[in-house]
């Protein structure tokens, strides 16, 4: 433990010697009284003393109170430095109650700082955990504070304590102050006033206060509508982006060759494990550039998943064209083999892929709604992948071949297009895109051998709903299903919400088998 200096001797002598000695009293109430006295003096040099008490670095021996650290000791009252603490010095004991009081006292002393940012941080700490013992200190700070933002935070903290007052006007005033709150915890505090006791009475005995509490809850709800709506929309968008990355490759391969690839989920899993391996390599060989590992993982995951897909197409699938049932069974067996292979290489337990520092944290909105940075990056990543795929399909020779084979394979073959090469290139492209989905999924959860199994059904739903082989339909279906799922979950639950979506898709396909957007071409029309 490092030595905590409390400044020079003249400054140290400014502290109330009696209050400092009372910090070592056996009675906790006496200690709290001494803490409050030091805080009421408003001397910021008391902060190191209180921190030392909280951290177990404050010792007492006879009439001396010492701060003890690795580099020696210092007498709090006289400021004299000692090379070592006396052998009979005893640490001043604190319990959880005292630690809470000390945290509040330290924050209260920081409120005396001329720096607004220091006062604002202290006010946030106090408002997050306001205790009854701190009420006099908070009232004093509110009276002295000149900045509106800091003063409002302190007023909220004061109201949080005063709402439990025995005085009705005080409770009423506290409820009115809390109605201005932007904290989601405040609503629960107000709702507790409206609860009924076992004997039928209300937790808040005064009807006027209860009516005001109901108004305050309504006001807070109105204030939170927009942030919560934005949060729900963003959650749906992020889920839709994940579904899009998972289904985009399947839309290409299914639309081109009509292959029901049950191993598509394992391409996602391979991309995620490739990200994990790249992370390990950077951690071991390039620790200084660790935050860049994800950038290197993107092409690596694409290439590994694409190569696995090409091998799969050349070794198995090309012999099964036109036989969908056998293809389904074969790819299902391959998916089981890939899962077992990963278990043998990496173990059956999930592995953790860490977010780079630039993807950690989130954007905080009013009402406790947070938009995580990693989800924002995934949304942007999905948009970039869709744009690149669109450019590939519409602005390159390979894309022209793919569209030709998709619309009429026989005619494309007659025109000299190398359909076998288009098949394996396109299948590799679809699997590579699935690998990119694995990169995204690795940033929002743990990676395990069965990672892809949870997305294969959703991917097929997206492809069928959007229209087989249609890029625009896949985008609309993925984002639409993501939003619908997130808006259904609060009311129907995650499982029932998925069932409702599945029933809707089944009914929709009965009326429109070609999906939202149908392909145009002789094969599609036939």
């Amino acid at each position: 433990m490092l030595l905590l200096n409390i400044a020079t001797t003249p400054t140290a002598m400014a502290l109330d010697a009696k209050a400092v000695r009372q910090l070592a009293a056996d009675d906790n109430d006496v200690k709290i009284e001494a803490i409050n006295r030091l805080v009421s003096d408003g001397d910021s040099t008391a902060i190191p003393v209180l921190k030392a008490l909280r951290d177990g670095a404050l010792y007492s021996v006879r009439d001396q109170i010492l701060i003890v650290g690795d580099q020696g000791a210092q007498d709090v009252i006289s400021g004299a430095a000692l090379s070592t603490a006396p052998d009979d010095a005893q640490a001043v004991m604190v319990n959880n109650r005292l630690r809470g009081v000390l945290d509040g006292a330290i924050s209260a002393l920081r409120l005396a700082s001329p720096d607004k940012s220091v006062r604002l941080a202290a006010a946030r700490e106090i408002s997050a955990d306001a205790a009854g013992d701190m009420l006099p200190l908070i009232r004093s700070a509110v009276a002295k504070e000149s900045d509106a933002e800091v003063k409002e935070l302190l007023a909220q903290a004061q109201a949080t304590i005063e709402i439990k007052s025995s005085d009705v006007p005080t409770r009423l005033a506290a409820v009115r102050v809390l109605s201005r709150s932007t904290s989601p915890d405040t609503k629960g505090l107000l709702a507790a006033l409206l609860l009924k006791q076992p004997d039928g009475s209300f937790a808040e005995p005064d009807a006027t206060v209860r009516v005001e509490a109901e108004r305050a809850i309504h006001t807070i709800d109105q204030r939170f509508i927009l942030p919560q709506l934005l949060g729900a929309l963003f959650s749906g968008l992020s889920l839709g982006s994940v579904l899009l990355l998972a289904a985009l490759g399947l839309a290409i391969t299914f639309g081109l060759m009509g292959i029901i690839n049950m191993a598509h989920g394992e391409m996602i899993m391979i991309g995620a494990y490739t990200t994990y391996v790249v992370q390990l390599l950077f951690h071991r060989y390039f620790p200084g550039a660790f935050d860049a590992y994800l950038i290197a993982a993107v092409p690596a995951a694409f290439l590994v998943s694409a190569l696995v897909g090409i091998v799969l197409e050349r070794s198995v699938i090309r012999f099964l064209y036109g036989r969908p049932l056998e293809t389904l069974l074969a790819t299902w067996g391959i998916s089981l083999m890939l899962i077992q292979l990963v278990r043998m290489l990496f173990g059956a337990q999930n592995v953790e892929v860490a977010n780079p520092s630039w993807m950690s944290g989130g954007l905080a909105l009013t009402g406790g709604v947070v938009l995580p940075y990693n989800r924002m990056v995934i949304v942007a990543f999905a948009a970039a992948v869709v744009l690149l795929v669109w450019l590939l399909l519409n602005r390159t020779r390979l894309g022209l071949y793919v569209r030709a084979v998709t619309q009429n394979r026989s005619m494309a073959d007659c025109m000299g297009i190398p359909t076998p090469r288009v098949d394996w290139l396109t299948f590799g492209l679809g699997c590579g895109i699935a690998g990119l989905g694995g990169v995204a999924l690795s940033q929002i959860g743990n990676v395990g051998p069965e990672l892809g199994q949870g997305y294969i059904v959703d991917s097929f739903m997206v492809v069928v709903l959007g229209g087989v082989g249609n890029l625009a339909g896949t985008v609309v279906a993925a984002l639409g299903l993501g939003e619908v799922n997130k808006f259904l979950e609060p009311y129907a639950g995650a499982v029932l919400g998925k069932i409702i979506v599945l029933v809707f898709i089944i009914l929709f396909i009965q009326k429109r088998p070609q999906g939202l957007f149908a392909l145009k071409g002789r094969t599609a029309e036939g």
Side-chain angles (χ1 to χ4, degrees):
M1 184 181 298
L2 297 177
L3 176 62
L4 302 174
N5 293 311
I6 62 170
T8 59
T9 300
T11 306
M13 289 295 289
L15 292 177
D16 186 331
K18 181 180 178 182
V20 170
R21 290 192 177 96
Q22 284 181 335
L23 293 176
D26 294 331
D27 190 341
N28 285 334
D29 290 333
V30 175
K31 290 180 181 177
I32 292 173
E33 181 184 348
I35 293 169
N36 290 337
R37 189 181 307 150
L38 290 172
V39 174
S40 63
D41 291 341
D43 191 345
S44 61
T45 58
I47 293 178
V49 181
L50 299 180
K51 283 184 176 180
L53 177 58
R54 182 193 61 187
D55 299 336
L58 197 69
Y59 285 70
S60 67
V61 52
R62 292 176 291 280
D63 287 336
Q64 286 183 304
I65 303 297
L66 307 175
I67 297 177
V68 179
D70 294 338
Q71 301 176 14
Q74 186 175 24
D75 189 315
V76 174
I77 298 173
S78 68
L82 306 174
S83 58
T84 59
D87 294 336
D88 56 346
Q90 294 183 345
V92 180
M93 304 302 295
V94 294
N95 55 19
N96 289 335
R97 178 193 174 197
L98 273 175
R99 288 190 184 94
V101 173
L102 285 166
D103 287 337
I106 293 168
S107 298
L109 281 172
R110 290 168 61 198
L111 289 172
S113 171
D115 187 345
K116 177 193 169 181
S117 61
V118 175
R119 300 199 311 275
L120 185 61
R124 285 173 177 160
E125 291 175 6
I126 291 174
S127 62
D129 188 21
D133 292 333
M134 299 167 59
L135 184 57
L137 307 177
I138 296 174
R139 283 175 175 167
S140 175
V142 170
K144 296 176 182 177
E145 184 56 54
S146 58
D147 183 83
E149 185 179 6
V150 178
K151 191 166 188 172
E152 179 60 25
L153 279 172
L154 292 171
Q156 295 285 330
Q158 179 180 336
T160 301
I161 299 172
E162 290 183 339
I163 201 171
K164 301 173 185 177
S165 170
S166 59
D167 182 51
V168 174
T170 301
R171 296 201 304 274
L172 191 61
V175 169
R176 289 170 179 162
V177 171
L178 291 175
S179 68
R180 305 195 301 262
S181 174
T182 57
S183 170
D185 297 331
T186 303
K187 182 179 175 180
L189 184 65
L190 294 169
L193 301 177
L194 307 178
L195 295 177
K196 281 191 174 183
Q197 306 290 356
D199 60 359
S201 63
F202 287 94
E204 170 51 58
D206 188 83
T208 307
V209 177
R210 292 200 301 271
V211 171
E212 196 65 34
E214 290 177 349
R215 289 176 183 169
I217 290 173
H218 178 71
T219 302
I220 292 172
D221 284 338
Q222 292 296 113
R223 187 179 298 119
F224 288 170
I225 285 178
L226 182 58
Q228 288 175 349
L229 178 61
L230 290 175
L233 287 172
F234 178 77
S235 296
L237 181 62
S238 64
L239 175 60
S241 299
V242 172
L243 291 177
L244 178 58
L245 289 170
L248 192 57
L250 188 64
I252 295 173
T253 56
F254 193 23
L256 174 63
M257 293 171 275
I259 297 296
I260 303 176
N261 180 17
M262 296 302 293
H264 183 77
E266 279 53 64
M267 301 301 115
I268 298 173
M269 178 261 291
I270 288 172
Y273 270 100
T274 303
T275 307
Y276 171 68
V277 171
V278 172
Q279 173 194 248
L280 293 181
L281 292 175
F282 267 73
H283 188 270
R284 181 171 182 178
Y285 297 107
F286 312 104
F290 182 78
D291 279 348
Y293 89 86
L294 194 60
I295 298 173
V298 170
F302 179 86
L303 290 174
V304 173
S305 300
L307 288 173
V308 173
I310 291 171
V311 171
L312 175 61
E313 195 278 338
R314 289 287 83 191
S315 61
V316 177
I317 291 178
R318 72 187 181 101
F319 300 109
L320 301 175
Y321 289 139
R323 295 146 69 182
L325 181 59
E326 293 180 28
T327 305
L328 185 150
L329 293 174
T331 54
W332 180 57
I334 291 170
S335 75
L336 297 179
M337 293 170 61
L338 290 174
I339 291 173
Q340 188 58 37
L341 177 62
V342 167
R343 283 178 178 156
M344 293 170 60
L345 292 175
F346 298 97
Q349 300 298 321
N350 290 349
V351 296
E352 183 180 359
V353 179
N355 290 139
S357 61
W358 49 273
M359 285 179 66
S360 301
L363 177 64
L365 302 180
T366 304
V369 178
V370 178
L371 308 184
Y373 291 138
N374 58 349
R375 295 274 184 174
M376 292 183 183
V377 173
I378 289 173
V379 171
F381 181 61
V385 171
V386 170
L387 177 60
L388 291 174
V389 171
W390 183 86
L391 291 174
L392 178 67
L393 293 179
N394 293 277
R395 294 292 187 268
T396 66
R397 181 178 294 273
L398 174 61
L400 179 64
Y401 288 172
V402 169
R403 286 182 285 123
V405 175
T406 300
Q407 293 181 22
N408 195 315
R409 174 179 288 270
S410 299
M411 183 62 71
D413 204 13
C414 292
M415 295 295 293
I417 295 176
T419 52
R421 188 172 70 181
V422 172
D423 287 342
W424 66 260
L425 282 174
T426 307
F427 199 85
L429 172 65
C431 292
I433 294 172
L436 296 180
V439 176
L441 286 173
S442 71
Q443 298 302 301
I444 57 176
N446 290 331
V447 175
E450 297 182 0
L451 172 67
Q453 295 289 300
Y455 289 91
I456 186 66
V457 175
D458 289 338
S459 298
F460 273 107
M461 285 198 302
V462 168
V463 171
V464 172
L465 179 62
V468 176
N470 190 289
L471 182 61
T474 303
V475 174
V476 172
L479 298 181
L481 287 178
E483 295 291 353
V484 170
N485 269 306
K486 284 301 179 183
F487 276 94
L488 279 177
E489 278 182 10
Y491 305 101
V495 176
L496 184 58
K498 280 185 177 278
I499 293 174
I500 293 173
V501 170
L502 180 59
V503 170
F504 166 76
I505 292 175
I506 292 173
L507 295 176
F508 180 84
I509 296 301
Q510 295 298 313
K511 296 293 183 181
R512 190 178 175 85
Q514 69 271 33
L516 292 171
F517 301 92
L519 284 175
K520 294 180 180 180
R522 294 184 181 179
T523 301
E525 292 168 0

